[in-house]
Amino acid sequence: MWPNSSFSSFLLTGFPGLEAAHHWISIPFFFVYISVLFGNGTLLLLTKEDHNLHEPMYYFLAMLAATDLGLTLTTMPTVLGVLWLDHREIGHVACFSQTYFIHSLSYVESGVLLAMAYDCFIAICNPLRYNSILTNTQVVKIGLVVLMRGFVSVVPPISPLYFFPYCHSHVLSHAFCLHQDVIKLACADTTFNRLYPVVLVVLIFVLDSLIILISYVLILKSVLSIASRDERAKALNTCVSHICCVLVFYITVIGLSLIHRFGKEVPHIVHLIMSYVYFLFPPLMNPIIYSVKTKQIQSGILHLFTTHKVRP
């Protein structure tokens, strides 16, 4: 029995009222899962194998792909377990660990998008100094800061979860564990756990998005000052993939936040769908966006698979 708890585990929830259709619902989830693994796995393999992609932009893209893979691998096993096997029980340690990785990887993704915006800013606004500013050492330092910020900042609200007593209920509202879900079940003073995440969202999601917006305003100003029309188009094309990924990520974040804050009267199924969109849509779309919009990625993928195909 877990200390200071009335329950030794929590119960995950699939789609209430649609339990009979869980097997059918699992089909699109499974295909999205496989697509995410294949798409992001391919980007990681391509970045490793293709020496033409050993540049800061593609290192950050590899970080984004790894983050998306981690987020999907963290959430989808329990989702498919509920939908396929009706395996709803999850132990406290497993639940809190899943909570930690879900939230930390979300903050890491925001940090990676910010780093990619910085890369675009230097490439367009200061191209002559690009190689001297974004050296491999600098890229590693930026990557470590992004990872540390994401993984360390989530420790304070997650740690108390291990010591709270849980006596209200043991039924969670999703097929995975979220911090805001777990603290609703705690029979303890959760003031810190309710306030700290709000501060964290402001300092990370809001601040990152503002910095990204400002960087693109400066980028646009720099692009418009270029005399040649072709050069302007080429400069904008450098960042169009990243702009799409930023929009995909932050639009889903804003949509989910608005549903949670102002959608009290909205059916619970809408909350569920929005949460799945938030966790699955960006990891699914990011590889597609970069594959469609980036010629180096297109040629690299073609070369990668044709090379492996002709090998004996």
Side-chain angles (χ1 to χ4, degrees):
M1 194 71 163
W2 192 262
N4 301 321
S5 297
S6 301
F7 305 105
S8 59
S9 61
F10 296 115
L11 287 181
L12 302 171
T13 300
F15 291 85
L18 299 173
E19 287 80 4
H22 271 182
H23 285 87
W24 293 105
I25 295 172
S26 70
I27 295 174
F29 276 92
F30 177 72
F31 279 110
V32 169
Y33 185 37
I34 295 299
S35 299
V36 169
L37 296 182
F38 177 77
N40 290 284
T42 300
L43 283 181
L44 285 174
L45 179 62
L46 185 62
T47 306
K48 176 179 177 293
E49 296 289 334
D50 193 338
H51 292 283
N52 294 323
L53 301 182
H54 289 182
E55 298 176 6
M57 170 185 173
Y58 300 106
Y59 291 145
F60 291 135
L61 177 58
M63 281 189 64
L64 185 66
T67 304
D68 284 337
L69 270 179
L71 194 57
T72 305
L73 288 169
T74 299
T75 55
M76 286 306 291
T78 56
V79 173
L80 292 176
V82 171
L83 296 178
W84 277 346
L85 308 172
D86 195 33
H87 183 73
R88 297 179 57 200
E89 189 172 339
I90 183 170
H92 282 174
V93 174
C95 182
F96 303 150
S97 299
Q98 185 182 48
T99 300
Y100 172 76
F101 283 108
I102 284 176
H103 291 287
S104 60
L105 287 169
S106 296
Y107 293 132
V108 168
E109 178 143 358
S110 181
V112 173
L113 290 173
L114 178 60
M116 294 173 81
Y118 176 66
D119 174 80
C120 288
F121 175 78
I122 299 298
I124 292 178
C125 297
N126 205 345
L128 297 178
R129 295 189 59 206
Y130 180 82
N131 290 327
S132 61
I133 294 175
L134 280 175
T135 61
N136 287 342
T137 303
Q138 190 67 19
V139 170
V140 170
K141 287 179 180 178
I142 292 172
L144 288 175
V145 169
V146 168
L147 290 173
M148 290 294 290
R149 187 188 70 161
F151 286 112
V152 173
S153 62
V154 180
V155 171
I158 299 298
S159 298
L161 299 181
Y162 289 88
F163 306 102
F164 285 155
Y166 299 94
C167 53
H168 290 310
S169 170
H170 63 153
V171 180
L172 299 170
S173 59
H174 294 81
F176 44 83
C177 295
L178 293 175
H179 174 264
Q180 57 266 35
D181 249 4
V182 174
I183 60 171
K184 290 177 183 177
L185 310 183
C187 298
D189 182 5
T190 58
T191 304
F192 173 78
N193 281 69
R194 293 181 185 279
L195 294 179
Y196 183 90
V198 176
V199 175
L200 208 56
V201 165
V202 171
L203 290 178
I204 294 183
F205 283 150
V206 175
L207 195 58
D208 284 1
S209 60
L210 283 176
I211 295 173
I212 290 171
L213 178 62
I214 292 169
S215 70
Y216 274 104
V217 169
L218 295 175
I219 287 171
L220 185 60
K221 183 180 177 181
S222 178
V223 168
L224 291 176
S225 67
I226 300 173
S228 169
R229 187 175 179 178
D230 290 338
E231 289 297 319
R232 284 202 301 267
K234 185 179 178 181
L236 280 175
N237 192 56
T238 303
C239 295
V240 68
S241 300
H242 178 252
I243 293 171
C244 293
C245 290
V246 167
L247 290 174
V248 165
F249 180 75
Y250 284 107
I251 286 174
T252 54
V253 168
I254 292 168
L256 186 62
S257 299
L258 290 175
I259 284 289
H260 277 304
R261 292 282 180 261
F262 307 108
K264 304 297 182 183
E265 305 301 321
V266 175
H268 181 60
I269 188 70
V270 176
H271 288 259
L272 289 177
I273 292 172
M274 281 301 300
S275 66
Y276 287 117
V277 168
Y278 168 69
F279 287 115
L280 293 176
F281 191 62
L284 175 67
M285 291 304 299
N286 289 343
I288 295 174
I289 290 169
Y290 271 93
S291 299
V292 170
K293 292 291 184 180
T294 311
K295 290 183 179 179
Q296 292 93 327
I297 297 290
Q298 292 174 5
S299 58
I301 290 173
L302 185 62
H303 178 73
L304 179 67
F305 285 106
T306 53
T307 302
H308 281 269
K309 188 176 180 180
V310 299
R311 282 180 182 175

